[in-house]
Amino acid sequence: MSAFSLADVYRARRRIEGRVCRTPLVESPALSRIAGVPVHLKLETVQPTGSFKLRGATNALAGLAEEGVTRVVTASTGNHGRALAHAARSLGLEAAVCMSSLVPKNKVDAVAALGARVVIAGRSQDDAQVEALRLVREEGFAFVPPFDDPRVIAGQATIGLEILEALPDTAGIVVPLSGGGLFSGVAFAAKRIAPAVKMTGVTMARGAAMHASLAAGKPVLVDELETLADSLGGGIGLDNRHTFAMTREHIDQLVLLDEASIARGIVHAYREERLVVEGAAAVGMSAVLDRVLDEPRGPLVIIVSGCNIDIELHRRLAGA
């Protein structure tokens, strides 16, 4: 991805300005006590669609609209689809979102409520992508990948700019890791501005495709399993062009969490931080609670990626 540069990230920020929130960075006294250094939470939960995905989707669709594209489609575990539907509606584009039967109903309903055409296909992200590519071939849609796309990555990378502008002495950034769009974008921007920043990716132990791919030295297929961190599910694509190499280049530590640990993070967020978060957004907090992060040298930032959890599930976990 040699053509990708920091200039692309600043261009993305200009393109999404006014359509996407510059999100708060707030200190967590509870997590700071455990970590022994200041811990700050980057709250992507306040985005209009409830997750960071709005950044990448908005940048990608705005670029496509400039090129005259009118119909877009994606495959999603929920949050990217919701972001694409929101961005498409604001830009006047037709949108279709393909999702597997594993995607929680609340996320499917949220996409439909934004006016996108919803297609349920198979039981994995890979199945949903096959259906999305059929719509490209047969109905003339433009495909917008959920993570492995330069414009999507550049949009997510704007989080890295905001973190280092707000907290220039940041020593480490903890990022939920799935297909790598968020991680590779934030890491790319952060390490070009502050090369010493330590980048940690955190994911679930059940069906972690990027972890398996990094271990194998190439993109590999994994079985997609049910997990509290459903937004981190799905493969990275055997023909991955960008995020695998960028993640491998920039990752300093990779942490796997079991389901009990993810649940503890969700509960902690609610009881101590007064935040309702989904499992994927809780993993950074879980890693601090479990004391599995390499010893931080200074201020630590955790990206809290989204709040789109099924509310009944949240009640059962948090006892609310």
Side-chain angles (χ1 to χ4, degrees), residues 2-148:
S2 57
F4 190 80
S5 71
L6 200 57
D8 293 304
V9 182
Y10 284 104
R11 187 176 302 113
R13 178 154 73 176
R14 291 192 297 272
R15 187 180 272 145
I16 68 177
E17 188 174 7
R19 299 182 186 275
V20 173
C21 296
R22 185 183 180 98
T23 54
L25 188 66
V26 299
E27 187 167 358
S28 165
L31 294 175
S32 297
R33 286 193 296 272
I34 294 169
V37 295
V39 176
H40 294 77
L41 305 176
K42 181 64 169 167
L43 300 181
E44 290 298 299
T45 51
V46 306
Q47 294 291 358
T49 59
S51 90
F52 75 94
K53 288 283 192 177
L54 189 60
R55 295 174 183 264
T58 300
N59 188 48
L61 265 61
L64 289 170
E66 291 166 6
E67 296 167 4
V69 169
T70 61
R71 311 177 85 196
V72 293
V73 64
T74 195
S76 174
T77 54
N79 284 335
H80 175 66
R82 187 172 182 174
L84 181 123
H86 184 281
R89 187 170 70 172
S90 72
L91 290 163
L93 306 180
E94 180 184 348
V97 178
C98 301
M99 293 176 279
S100 83
S101 60
L102 292 181
V103 175
K105 184 176 183 298
N106 68 299
K107 293 187 176 181
V108 175
D109 291 345
V111 172
L114 287 166
R117 172 178 164 190
V118 172
V119 182
I120 304 299
R123 283 186 53 82
S124 72
Q125 173 83 343
D126 292 332
D127 292 338
Q129 180 146 326
V130 168
E131 178 63 17
L133 294 177
R134 184 191 69 78
L135 292 178
V136 171
R137 290 192 309 272
E138 298 181 8
E139 299 188 29
F141 282 81
F143 183 64
V144 181
F147 51 86
D148 194 33

Side-chain angles (χ1 to χ4, degrees), residues 52 174-184 200-203 232 279-284 302-306:
F52 75 94
V174 182
V175 187
L177 178 62
S178 178
L182 176 62
F183 182 90
S184 60
T200 300
V202 188
T203 192
L232 301 184
V283 296
I302 295 172
I303 296 178
V304 184
S305 55

Side-chain angles (χ1 to χ4, degrees), residues 10 231 240:
Y10 284 104
S231 294
N240 187 288

Side-chain angles (χ1 to χ4, degrees), residues 35 39 96 122-123 129 140 160 167 169-170 172 177 186 192-193 206 217 223 246 255 260 268 272 281 287 298 303:
V39 176
R123 283 186 53 82
Q129 180 146 326
L167 193 66
D169 60 343
T170 297
L177 178 62
V186 172
R192 272 152 185 77
I193 295 169
R206 291 175 57 83
D223 291 332
M246 292 178 73
V255 174
H268 168 88
E272 299 294 334
I303 296 178

